[in-house]
């Protein structure tokens, strides 16, 4: 069995690259819903339906463990998938999100304040606030939506996205938060822009650093899952739309030998 990674676009591919570097021995299948990105301004019903389609496709490709590398999908679809969909259809398979691992990493040093910058849908869900307060009430949480960053990254307007980072981080910079969570996997590609826009003392938490380490720990704690995973060092990338800039990043990160497959899903 393989490890699947799901996202709406480039962000998850960036996370997969980091996972593969940390755990190169396993076989990976990526599914990017690039035809319907971004998810951040869609309804919960749409996000759940799209996410379930992606998860189900990864299961058909032999994945026993799927990582939702999309924060929006993790906030809007993960719980229902875990509690309703998996028990009925795939009781022996696992789907994990990125919110809880990121919160655990953010609280590891007992910060006094945490900033979160994410898509509008993730901010509106208050998912990070709820998960943080579930673990401690002795921390202040500040949120900042950044609705334009994902569309800009997906349309390859990187310079404009970097300029928007400075605008979006102004309010968070004034909070003097001990930790700022980049609550969207796309934002990892803008790490340097965020670093320049935030106070030097602020710890920047990027999910392509967090997720690989947490996945390694998870597999060590669940040998019944890790023992089922095949180890042939392979990567297959599936996309619902093969954009030129997505292809360019995929080849840059994984090499031109890695197959890019087009997948057509029901609308």
């Amino acid at each position: 069995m393989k490890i699947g990674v799901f996202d709406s676009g480039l962000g998850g591919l960036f996370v997969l690259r980091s996972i593969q570097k940390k755990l190169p021995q396993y076989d990976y299948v990526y599914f990017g819903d690039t035809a319907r990105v971004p998810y951040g301004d869609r309804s919960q019903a749409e996000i759940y339906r799209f996410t379930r389609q992606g998860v189900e496709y990864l299961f058909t490709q032999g994945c026993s463990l799927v990582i939702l590398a999309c924060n929006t999908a993790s906030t809007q679809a993960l719980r229902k998938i875990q509690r309703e969909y998996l028990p009925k259809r795939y009781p022996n398979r696992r789907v994990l999100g990125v919110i809880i691992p990121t919160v655990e990493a953010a609280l590891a040093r007992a910060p006094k304040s945490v900033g979160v910058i994410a898509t509008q849908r993730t901010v509106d869900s208050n998912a990070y606030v709820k998960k943080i307060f579930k673990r401690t009430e002795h921390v202040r949480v500040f949120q900042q939506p950044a609705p334009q960053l994902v569309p800009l990254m997906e349309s390859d307007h990187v310079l404009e996205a970097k300029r928007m980072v400075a605008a979006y981080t102004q309010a968070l910079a004034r909070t003097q938060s001990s930790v700022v969570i980049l609550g969207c996997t796309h934002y990892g590609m803008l790490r340097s822009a965020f670093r320049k826009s935030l106070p030097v003392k602020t710890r920047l938490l990027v999910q392509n650093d967090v997720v690989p380490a947490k996945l390694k720990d998870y597999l060590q704690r669940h040998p019944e899952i890790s023992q089922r995973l095949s180890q042939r060092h392979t990567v297959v990338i599936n996309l619902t739309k093969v954009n030129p800039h997505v292809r360019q990043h995929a080849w840059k990160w994984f090499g031109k030998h890695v197959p890019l497959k087009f997948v057509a899903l029901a609308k």
Side-chain angles (χ1 to χ4, degrees):
M1 305 298 285
K2 305 166 187 175
I3 297 174
V5 177
F6 171 82
D7 188 40
S8 60
L10 274 173
L13 203 58
F14 195 50
V15 171
L16 173 58
R17 178 194 181 212
S18 299
I19 292 174
Q20 191 198 29
K21 284 185 175 182
K22 187 79 172 180
L23 300 165
Q25 68 271 33
Y26 296 116
D27 297 321
Y28 298 95
V29 181
Y30 181 76
F31 182 86
D33 193 6
T34 43
R36 298 185 290 202
V37 65
Y39 280 11
D41 57 356
R42 293 185 178 274
S43 69
Q44 184 176 11
E46 282 184 309
I47 295 166
Y48 173 74
R49 179 164 59 87
F50 295 169
T51 303
R52 195 179 75 172
Q53 284 180 329
V55 168
E56 193 159 55
Y57 177 79
L58 288 169
F59 286 163
T60 67
Q61 300 305 298
C63 297
S64 59
L65 173 65
V66 172
I67 310 297
L68 297 188
C70 176
N71 284 260
T72 304
S74 293
T75 62
Q76 302 297 306
L78 177 61
R79 189 171 183 177
K80 188 174 181 180
I81 286 175
Q82 290 176 332
R83 293 190 174 189
E84 299 178 18
Y85 176 67
L86 293 181
K88 293 179 181 178
R89 299 287 302 276
Y90 299 96
N92 296 321
R93 304 198 188 189
R94 299 289 180 268
V95 178
L96 306 176
V98 294
I99 305 296
I100 291 178
T102 304
V103 168
E104 290 174 346
L107 297 179
R109 300 181 186 178
K112 294 181 179 180
S113 57
V114 175
V116 179
I117 185 164
T119 66
Q120 188 69 57
R121 178 63 67 178
T122 297
V123 169
D124 289 345
S125 74
N126 282 316
Y128 278 101
V129 177
K130 293 173 184 176
K131 296 298 183 186
I132 289 172
F133 286 165
K134 188 175 182 179
R135 286 158 176 78
T136 177
E137 296 181 356
H138 304 291
V139 62
R140 293 177 297 162
V141 183
F142 305 94
Q143 296 192 95
Q144 173 64 51
Q148 294 302 314
L149 291 184
V150 172
L152 287 171
M153 294 298 292
E154 288 292 335
S155 59
D156 205 26
H157 292 97
V158 179
L159 292 178
E160 188 174 349
K162 288 181 178 179
R163 288 194 291 268
M164 289 297 295
V165 165
Y168 283 135
T169 53
Q170 283 182 1
L172 278 182
R174 289 194 294 268
T175 68
Q176 295 291 317
S177 295
S178 306
V179 179
V180 168
I181 294 171
L182 300 190
C184 175
T185 49
H186 283 74
Y187 300 172
M189 292 179 282
L190 298 168
R191 180 199 296 258
S192 61
F194 278 103
R195 183 65 278 166
K196 290 178 182 177
S197 300
L198 292 167
V200 175
K201 294 182 179 180
T202 299
R203 180 188 173 208
L204 193 62
L205 198 61
V206 186
Q207 289 179 321
N208 59 294
D209 296 335
V210 173
V211 175
K214 291 292 185 179
L215 178 58
K216 181 178 181 179
D217 177 67
Y218 179 85
L219 292 175
Q220 289 174 342
R221 290 185 290 105
H222 294 276
E224 75 281 4
I225 295 176
S226 63
Q227 289 170 6
R228 295 169 58 195
L229 298 174
S230 55
Q231 300 187 27
R232 295 173 296 183
H233 305 77
T234 64
V235 177
V236 176
I237 298 172
N238 302 276
L239 305 167
T240 53
K241 184 178 181 179
V242 185
N243 299 316
H245 67 283
V246 175
R247 182 188 293 112
Q248 180 182 357
H249 281 292
W251 284 348
K252 176 183 177 181
W253 293 337
F254 299 97
K256 292 187 177 181
H257 65 283
V258 172
L260 272 66
K261 298 183 179 180
F262 168 74
V263 177
L265 295 180
K267 294 183 179 180

